[in-house]
């Protein structure tokens, strides 16, 4: 028994390392391709596979052009995930293009299922994330430079330049998910009770209502 315990102690770090990849990203695929049937069911940690697929299931041209940044935040995210590229299903990767008007902000948000790495196409951005110990890690990045946001941590990007800016973001998940902190708290359905928000932010009910009105989706 003592010999077994000793061996277990010696090999436990190796077992942890072998298990680590499954904790860091989407599960490994078990076939060459599993092109997503976006309307199929059941869905268990992904999409069911289509019986037949074609080249266009692996193609998307939506990142080739800047997005429209004429909105409240002055930024827009164009996703290239499994919902746009069905061939990404089970592959554990995706991308986005983020465009920023001068002064534009990609507001504080998290990706619950992925680490993110951004490559600056043009412009200059102030970027940062906040650790679980409430430490801000922030840097100014320029064209051709790269910055990493660890999985699940609150992060942001702001264009403080005089011209437009853009990045390509890569994720180790086919569908990383995004939770914008302000929108999640102030525009959820059903709404978070005002009593929760007033106490959390130490503001009055009037302030909460004004924030909700500002962030409410615009009706077309």
């Amino acid at each position: 028994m003592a010999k077994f315990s000793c061996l277990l102690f010696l090999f436990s770090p190796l077992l942890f390392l072998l298990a680590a990849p499954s904790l860091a990203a989407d599960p490994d695929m078990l076939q060459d391709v599993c092109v997503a049937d976006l309307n199929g069911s059941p869905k268990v940690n992904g999409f069911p596979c289509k019986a037949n697929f074609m080249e266009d299931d692996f193609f998307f041209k939506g990142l080739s052009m800047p997005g429209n940044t004429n909105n409240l935040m002055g930024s827009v995210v164009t996703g290239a995930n499994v919902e746009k590229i069905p061939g990404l299903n089970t592959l554990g990767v995706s991308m986005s293009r983020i465009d920023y008007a001068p002064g534009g902000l990609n507001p504080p948000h998290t990706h619950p299922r992925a680490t993110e790495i951004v490559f600056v196409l043009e412009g200059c951005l102030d970027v940062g994330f906040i650790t679980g110990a409430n430490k801000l890690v922030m840097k100014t990045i320029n064209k051709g430079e790269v910055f990493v946001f660890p999985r699940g941590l609150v992060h942001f990007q702001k264009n403080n330049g005089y011209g437009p800016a853009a990045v390509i973001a890569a994720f180790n998940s086919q569908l990383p998910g995004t939770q914008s902190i302000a929108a999640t708290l102030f525009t959820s359905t059903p709404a978070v009770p005002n009593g929760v928000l007033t106490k959390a932010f130490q503001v009055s009910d009037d302030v909460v209502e004004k924030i909700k009105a500002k962030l409410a989706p615009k009706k077309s």
Side-chain angles (χ1 to χ4, degrees):
M1 186 68 181
K3 185 176 180 181
F4 175 78
S5 299
C6 198
L7 286 171
L8 185 61
F9 175 79
L10 288 172
F11 284 106
S12 57
L14 178 60
L15 293 173
F16 176 80
L17 288 173
L18 290 172
S22 66
L23 301 176
D26 292 351
D28 288 339
M29 60 185 187
L30 299 177
Q31 64 284 309
D32 287 343
V33 297
C34 174
V35 174
D37 180 353
L38 299 178
N39 299 313
S41 61
K43 298 177 175 67
V44 181
N45 206 29
F47 294 93
C49 308
K50 288 203 298 189
N52 300 296
F53 56 86
M54 60 187 67
E55 292 83 354
D56 281 351
D57 288 319
F58 299 86
F59 173 77
F60 181 65
K61 63 179 181 180
L63 305 190
S64 60
M65 298 293 292
N68 183 2
T69 58
N70 184 22
N71 55 55
L72 184 65
M73 293 296 168
S75 71
V76 64
V77 179
T78 305
N81 55 42
V82 68
E83 294 177 332
K84 300 288 182 63
I85 310 173
L88 285 178
N89 198 36
T90 76
L91 299 186
V93 294
S94 60
M95 300 177 74
S96 290
R97 174 180 176 137
I98 312 169
D99 290 284
Y100 316 79
L105 171 71
N106 189 12
H109 62 281
T110 69
H111 301 295
R113 295 184 290 275
T115 291
E116 175 182 3
I117 183 169
V118 296
F119 173 83
V120 184
L121 292 174
E122 64 173 327
C124 172
L125 296 161
D126 291 336
V127 302
F129 64 85
I130 303 162
T131 71
N134 221 29
K135 176 180 172 59
L136 173 64
V137 180
M138 186 171 170
K139 191 170 180 65
T140 300
I141 57 175
N142 299 282
K143 182 176 180 178
E145 296 179 338
V146 165
F147 195 81
V148 175
F149 305 103
R151 175 182 176 177
L153 297 186
V154 175
H155 59 283
F156 57 88
Q157 306 106 30
K158 189 174 192 303
N159 178 10
N160 282 329
Y162 295 103
V167 304
I168 291 293
F171 305 91
N172 62 335
S173 172
Q174 67 184 38
L175 195 62
T178 300
Q179 283 193 301
S180 178
I181 305 304
T184 297
L185 290 172
F186 290 93
T187 68
S188 68
T189 304
V192 176
N194 278 16
V196 173
L197 299 173
T198 56
K199 193 168 186 65
F201 291 96
Q202 294 295 291
V203 296
S204 69
D205 199 72
D206 287 344
V207 171
V208 169
E209 288 299 328
K210 286 179 180 178
I211 295 173
K212 285 183 176 181
K214 284 272 190 182
L215 294 178
K218 298 294 184 288
K219 295 180 180 179
S220 55

